[in-house]
Amino acid sequence: MTAPQPGRPDTPRDAAALAEARARVAADPESYWLDQARRLDWLQFPTRANESSFDEADFGIRWFADGKLNLSVNCLDRHLDTQGDSVAIVFEGDEPGEGRVLTYRELHAEVCRFANVLKAHGARKGCRVTIYMPMIPEAAMAMLACARIGAIHSVVFGGFSPDSLAGRIGDCDSTILVTADEGMRGGKHIPLKANADKALESCPGVKSVVVVRRTGGQVAMREGRDVWYHEARETVDADCAPEPMDAEDPLFILYTSGSTGKPKGVLHTTGGYLLWSALTFDQLFGWTPGDLFWCTADVGWVTGHSYVVYGPLANGASTVMFDGVPNYPDHGRFWETAHRLGVTIFYTAPTAIRALMREGDSFVKAHDRSQIRLLGTVGEPINPEAWQWYHDVVGEGRCEIVDTWWQTETGAALIAPVPGAVPTKPGSATLPLPGVYPALVDGEGHVLEGATSGNLILTKSWPGQMRTVWGDHERFFTTYFSTYPGAYFTGDGCRRDEDGYYWITGRVDDVINVSGHRMGTAEVESALVAHTLVAEAAVVGMPHDIKGQGIYAFVTLNAGEQGSEDLRQTLRQWVRQEIGPIASPDAIQFAPGLPKTRSGKIMRRILRKIAENDTGSLGDTSTLADPSVVDDLVANRVG
Ligand code: 6R9
């Protein structure tokens, strides 16, 4: 049996308490972090906190390594005595009002059943289970079920194509896939099981497919491999003993795009990740009984992991799972639903805010928002205009705006205003949380002091830091720790103002942030060149009013082929099919040649300027093998 740790730490809620927390973690980090670990229930309380090193010689990230716990116990069992009948998940489907509510007791029983179904199909501690699901409670159940038995989940966003799904299944050798017949988004059916079937043609390692019935749509079921969850569920117990896990046992893999190569399997482990998502959820949103928290992210992204599922449930909070879109049935959906369900804390992405802002205030004002007390944002820089609209119109000037900067790699938020303790500025994620140490460096790695701009690094580990790239520990080191030796490089550019506030300016690597979703330019390029008519492709980001960044592709066709509007459509469709709709290029420019150095390297700097329509300052083009290609590119810019 696990027991609550005596003396759970207080959470700073005002400036003085926050300053005290900062001083404590600076003075004695070990005791501060071990104290924070009391937020969780442990089978064996850790005696050590941080044993991480960013240096090549003894590189590794380890937290609370001798502690033992089970994550699902922390999210479920420990709440049963005191609040078993309080609401854990409020599900809101694609159609307004289509939903269901699960109490902690009900969710506990469902997770146990799900865990037993997975076990019956061979799932064991350490094996990988891929989850390709709509935003329905069963997605959270499947994640928690994996955690209960020690299986490692890999959630793949339901908008990804069969190919993308197959790549992610193959990379981590999943043996089990959990999916649904179909998803529903904005009134449209998403053929999840059919996509999965296509993906599995190239995934012989998957032995079992557990299919949740969501729409009742017709799907093919393969004898001996596929099982309906609702049938399997009837055959198992509603009790499942939790697997004791080491704090450093893997919890999940989540694939994310980087600047090179295939998406990386970001690995998070049990103790540190859970502590960081639990702590930051409490710190930033201050959930108390009576609150209802709604994070609009999909569980296919890290925000859905940390702030739809794990952070809220570890705190015994009530969390909304929304399976729809912001503009269906109309642009008032968020506010209509928030009012109907009684949402008090609302967390979404700047891209959604900008899209709704464009539709005018009437969709917002049509619905009473007086119960909302706090508004959060995540995923990309929020422009001050959107921040102000969110604050003034949505929040009626009454709600604090909590802009949270973080990454898949960081597990949960690192830089964000603690409500009530840190005054906000529109567009700034403000200050790091206690125990988080950002710094700005120039291209040579010199640390810059005071008000300045530079590349954002983190100089010390925090519990929620990723532990490795699945199957490629060396790639983990080289991607994040080799650019600035001794520090974690975020890939983001950033400005720090005279008050020490951080203003993230966006990626400085070849990653594009499209509507808050990361896309590697290399991924889109390799999809484009996989088309038979394409000889070469280079992809860069371009400013986009709603999405933040759009995808601009320069495409060189095979000799003799002609570019046309039809071919643009074909290529867009091709990329959707290869990767998924989020990767579809916003602009495609057919280019007879790309600007290359004499050694054959594409000069992306020039392409970025063209895509940004900043052609007046292309800089030095004399090192190009053929400088004349630039004139053609400028003359034929699209959009
Ligand atoms: C949580 C998440 C991470 C990248 C990150 C940065 C951008 C996220 C932001 C933000 C400015 C914020 N980003 N939050 N930029 N302000 N509040 O989004 O993870 O999908 O891995 O993306 O998103 O560029 O590096 P992930």
Side-chain angles (χ1 to χ4, degrees):
M1 260 309 281
T2 53
Q5 296 303 321
R8 291 209 192 278
D10 287 338
T11 304
R13 306 265 180 230
D14 59 36
L18 190 64
E20 193 190 316
R22 293 194 203 291
R24 277 194 53 208
V25 66
D28 188 351
E30 278 293 290
S31 94
Y32 176 85
W33 291 119
L34 287 173
D35 193 32
Q36 291 301 320
R38 295 185 187 284
R39 289 174 184 274
L40 305 181
D41 283 10
W42 300 81
L43 285 156
Q44 185 180 303
F45 193 78
T47 61
R48 310 189 300 271
N50 184 10
E51 297 174 289
S52 309
S53 164
F54 292 173
D55 294 325
E56 193 161 14
D58 59 348
F59 177 66
I61 316 297
R62 277 159 64 87
W63 282 85
F64 310 117
D66 64 347
K68 286 189 192 301
L69 76 169
N70 179 281
L71 179 141
S72 79
V73 168
N74 275 278
C75 289
L76 301 167
D77 307 52
R78 69 163 165 166
H79 306 312
L80 294 183
D81 280 350
T82 50
Q83 52 173 108
D85 297 321
S86 62
V87 171
I89 293 178
V90 178
F91 167 61
E92 168 78 7
D94 191 43
E95 292 300 327
E98 176 216 1
R100 110 197 216 222
V101 170
L102 286 129
T103 65
Y104 272 92
R105 201 176 313 288
E106 288 164 341
L107 184 61
H108 175 265
E110 289 301 327
V111 167
C112 285
R113 284 186 190 277
F114 216 118
N116 284 330
V117 168
L118 291 177
K119 268 189 175 168
H121 289 86
R124 294 288 176 270
K125 180 173 176 178
C127 84
R128 273 78 64 205
V129 175
T130 295
I131 299 174
Y132 183 62
M133 287 279 266
M135 273 294 284
I136 55 177
E138 285 80 359
M141 288 171 200
M143 293 162 73
L144 289 157
C146 287
R148 193 158 192 92
I149 61 177
I152 305 169
H153 63 68
S154 162
V155 183
V156 176
F157 175 54
F160 277 123
S161 67
D163 261 11
S164 297
L165 173 61
R168 286 157 171 79
I169 291 173
D171 184 78
C172 67
D173 300 312
S174 284
T175 50
I176 302 178
L177 176 68
V178 178
T179 189
D181 48 4
E182 298 176 315
M184 288 298 299
R185 279 180 91 75
K188 292 199 200 80
H189 293 247
I190 314 290
L192 292 173
K193 175 64 165 66
N195 285 350
D197 285 338
K198 235 181 260 168
L200 293 182
E201 286 169 14
S202 56
C203 302
V206 173
K207 303 296 178 219
S208 306
V209 181
V210 178
V211 187
V212 175
R213 193 166 61 190
R214 162 74 172 108
T215 64
Q218 280 298 312
V219 294
M221 296 290 280
R222 183 190 284 188
E223 189 73 34
R225 186 194 71 181
D226 304 351
V227 286
W228 283 109
Y229 178 66
H230 64 273
E231 289 173 5
R233 183 185 168 281
E234 297 301 322
T235 66
V236 295
D237 225 57
D239 212 5
C240 171
E243 185 76 26
M245 303 293 283
D246 286 343
E248 283 298 344
D249 278 336
L251 172 63
F252 68 80
I253 302 166
L254 184 56
Y255 286 87
T256 190
S257 295
S259 44
T260 55
K262 289 186 304 174
K264 295 182 287 279
V266 168
L267 184 87
H268 282 287
T269 57
T270 307
Y273 168 81
L274 183 63
L275 177 69
W276 197 245
S277 45
L279 183 160
T280 55
F281 176 79
D282 182 24
Q283 178 76 89
L284 295 173
F285 303 116
W287 189 91
T288 53
D291 272 326
L292 178 59
F293 178 77
W294 182 8
C295 165
T296 66
D298 192 284
V299 289
W301 311 107
V302 74
T303 307
H305 283 60
S306 304
Y307 296 116
V308 174
V309 182
Y310 293 129
L313 297 180
N315 282 281
S318 310
T319 180
V320 175
M321 284 187 84
F322 175 50
D323 199 21
V325 292
N327 59 358
Y328 177 83
D330 66 32
H331 294 95
R333 180 63 189 276
F334 275 172
W335 325 118
E336 181 275 326
T337 299
H339 173 67
R340 178 163 39 78
L341 300 180
V343 170
T344 58
I345 309 167
F346 181 77
Y347 188 39
T348 195
T351 187
I353 299 168
R354 285 190 298 266
L356 296 176
M357 184 172 135
R358 191 176 65 169
E359 302 301 327
D361 299 358
S362 60
F363 285 108
V364 186
K365 292 187 171 157
H367 306 282
D368 179 6
R369 289 149 353 271
S370 55
Q371 81 290 348
I372 300 181
R373 65 168 179 80
L374 195 145
L375 295 168
T377 87
V378 59
E380 50 178 316
I382 180 162
N383 46 313
E385 301 70 35
W387 192 102
Q388 209 66 57
W389 183 80
Y390 199 33
H391 180 265
D392 297 350
V393 178
V394 177
E396 304 175 299
R398 174 174 38 77
C399 305
E400 284 197 71
I401 305 290
V402 177
D403 174 4
T404 61
W405 173 84
W406 57 293
Q407 311 178 297
T408 306
E409 295 87 337
T410 73
L414 296 191
I415 302 180
V418 171
V422 174
T424 53
K425 298 186 189 186
S428 170
T430 76
L431 301 173
L433 294 174
V436 173
Y437 297 96
L440 301 183
V441 290
D442 65 15
E444 280 76 54
H446 301 118
V447 173
L448 306 167
E449 304 294 339
T452 186
S453 291
N455 288 345
L456 181 65
I457 61 168
L458 295 153
T459 60
K460 291 190 180 140
S461 185
W462 63 97
Q465 184 167 25
M466 72 181 281
R467 301 302 198 256
T468 192
V469 171
W470 180 262
D472 199 345
H473 199 54
E474 200 178 314
R475 187 171 175 203
F476 178 46
F477 180 83
T478 48
T479 306
Y480 301 102
F481 302 92
S482 67
T483 319
Y484 302 110
Y488 166 83
F489 178 39
T490 62
D492 279 334
C494 183
R495 176 168 75 82
R496 188 172 48 218
D497 70 15
E498 55 291 346
D499 296 322
Y501 276 41
Y502 289 84
W503 301 71
I504 313 295
T505 48
R507 304 290 302 194
V508 294
D509 53 9
D510 288 322
V511 171
I512 311 179
N513 193 328
V514 189
S515 302
H517 302 316
R518 278 162 64 166
M519 266 332 301
T521 51
E523 277 172 78
V524 186
E525 287 164 4
S526 72
L528 284 166
V529 296
H531 192 275
T532 48
L533 300 182
V534 175
E536 202 168 25
V539 167
V540 295
M542 65 179 213
H544 190 288
D545 284 350
I546 304 291
K547 300 179 180 180
Q549 278 191 300
I551 299 177
Y552 194 114
F554 296 86
V555 171
T556 305
L557 298 174
N558 287 333
E561 300 296 340
Q562 278 298 317
S564 65
E565 201 43 53
D566 273 0
L567 184 52
R568 275 200 184 96
Q569 278 317 324
T570 306
L571 291 178
R572 281 203 183 96
Q573 190 50 37
W574 173 258
V575 175
R576 288 172 80 89
Q577 191 188 308
E578 288 283 294
I579 304 175
I582 55 166
S584 174
D586 297 278
I588 296 179
Q589 176 171 354
F590 295 108
L594 296 173
K596 291 187 187 166
T597 61
R598 289 190 191 93
S599 60
K601 239 176 141 309
I602 295 174
M603 278 179 98
R604 292 172 175 282
R605 175 176 61 76
I606 293 175
L607 296 177
R608 264 187 228 118
K609 293 255 183 201
I610 295 170
E612 287 163 11
N613 206 8
D614 179 15
T615 49
S617 58
L618 291 179
D620 183 12
T621 55
S622 62
T623 56
L624 291 175
D626 177 7
S628 73
V629 298
V630 175
D631 300 333
D632 176 84
L633 291 174
V634 171
N636 293 301
R637 191 183 171 276
V638 294

